[in-house]
Amino acid sequence: MKFLRYGAVGAEKPGLLDSDGKIRDLSGHIPDLSGAALAPDALAKLAAIDVSTLPVVEGSPRLGACVAGTGKFICIGLNYSDHAAETGATVPPEPVIFMKATSAIVGPDDDVVIPRGSEKTDWEVELGFVIGKTAKYVSEADALDYVAGYCVSHDVSERAFQTERSGQWTKGKSCDTFGPIGPWLVTKDEVADPQNLSMWLKVNGETVQNGSSKTMVYGVAFLVSYLSQFMSLHPGDVISTGTPPGVGMGMKPPRYLKTGDVVELGIEGLGTQKQTFVADV
């Protein structure tokens, strides 16, 4: 199923996308797409609902982030062999982990704000996945049992803040609006192989990223198991798994986003996003 959240910022309601592309309201069944609603048994109950009995949402409402109540937004760096090569980095012997502030999370088509002082705001289409039940010390063989579903994640990055201002990457990744996720949370039964999904990103209509999750170094199952050795993963936590080549930092000369630029991105079966980049005021 394709779950989503719709409505004004801070007042989103849970819904799903039916087979005709219409939004159906789920607020009569769950308060939001968060916490216990993401557990396997809860998702199974939602999947058993006769979709035709759910109210149709009229018009084209704003879509919010596809999951609520995210406690951790964990990102994996340099996780595509071809992206590592374009940045001049070597593939790490273990996953590079950094955190993105949950205050960066916005809807898939919301404006992205270029922070004050930024000269190197960059794009990164990424496969995201959402945890459905608490994971701690789980095996790789069992890891996907803890995944509620998959989504498009845009890991917007300010490269100067990330790499030229000392310390960790987090401050270049966590600016407000730097974490669009959605449009949908696609349950794992609809994703035959998360390690074989085409993914793309355009800047002002020009395709700059055109890759596949098959070049990921560390796959979804491995990442769930690996992360759970260091911290508990909780329902609603989002993990963004890295980007294929074609980021602005890797271009010669480097190319970065400016006010008025429009970025479109998508992943096979998971939907698309579209953001206009605006100045902070």
Side-chain angles (χ1 to χ4, degrees):
M1 301 189 78
K2 295 179 174 68
F3 294 105
L4 53 85
R5 299 172 66 250
Y6 68 95
V9 176
E12 293 91 348
K13 295 181 178 181
L16 62 79
L17 194 74
D18 70 15
S19 58
D20 295 322
K22 297 178 181 177
I23 296 175
R24 300 276 184 161
D25 181 25
L26 275 174
S27 59
H29 294 268
I30 55 172
D32 210 340
L33 283 166
S34 62
L38 299 170
D41 58 343
L43 292 179
K45 289 180 181 179
L46 293 176
I49 295 171
D50 181 351
V51 174
S52 66
T53 66
L54 297 172
V56 174
V57 178
E58 301 296 339
S60 300
R62 168 191 172 269
L63 296 182
C66 61
V67 64
T70 297
K72 294 189 288 296
F73 195 164
I74 306 170
C75 298
I76 309 300
L78 301 173
N79 195 30
Y80 281 67
S81 55
D82 36 10
H83 170 58
E86 77 170 341
T87 62
T90 56
V91 173
E94 293 190 36
V96 172
I97 301 170
F98 61 92
M99 307 296 281
K100 201 174 183 84
T102 56
S103 54
I105 295 174
V106 290
D109 301 322
D110 290 343
D111 289 347
V112 173
V113 179
I114 298 175
R116 296 178 187 179
S118 168
E119 295 182 352
K120 296 182 179 181
T121 293
D122 203 350
W123 57 84
E124 292 190 12
V125 59
E126 303 201 359
L127 172 64
F129 63 88
V130 177
I131 297 297
K133 62 178 181 178
T134 300
K136 186 174 184 179
Y137 299 125
V138 303
S139 69
E140 188 172 352
D142 295 333
L144 294 185
D145 294 342
Y146 296 82
V147 174
Y150 300 92
C151 63
V152 180
S153 173
H154 190 181
D155 179 20
V156 187
S157 309
E158 211 301 336
R159 302 302 190 186
F161 296 178
Q162 176 188 353
T163 64
E164 301 171 19
R165 298 285 296 270
S166 186
Q168 299 179 343
W169 289 4
T170 301
K171 60 178 172 281
K173 300 283 190 170
S174 296
C175 304
D176 292 350
T177 74
F178 269 26
I181 54 174
W184 316 313
L185 174 62
V186 181
T187 51
K188 58 190 174 186
D189 59 292
E190 292 199 7
V191 181
D193 184 1
Q195 305 310 145
N196 190 25
L197 300 174
S198 60
M199 49 206 305
W200 56 271
L201 183 145
K202 298 180 180 180
V203 178
N204 298 326
E206 175 192 354
T207 299
V208 291
Q209 288 190 276
N210 187 12
S212 171
S213 61
K214 66 185 178 183
T215 66
M216 284 173 61
V217 179
Y218 301 107
V220 173
F222 179 87
L223 291 173
V224 173
S225 176
Y226 183 82
L227 291 168
S228 77
Q229 309 306 310
F230 302 101
M231 66 192 87
S232 294
L233 303 176
H234 297 126
D237 285 353
V238 176
I239 293 85
S240 199
T241 59
T243 196
V247 300
M249 178 177 62
M251 293 182 172
K252 300 186 186 306
R255 173 180 167 188
Y256 298 110
L257 295 164
K258 60 185 184 302
T259 299
D261 283 344
V262 175
V263 175
E264 300 168 87
L265 58 148
I267 298 178
E268 178 183 357
L270 304 185
T272 63
Q273 301 183 358
K274 183 177 181 179
Q275 298 115 21
T276 299
F277 281 67
V278 301
D280 199 350
V281 294

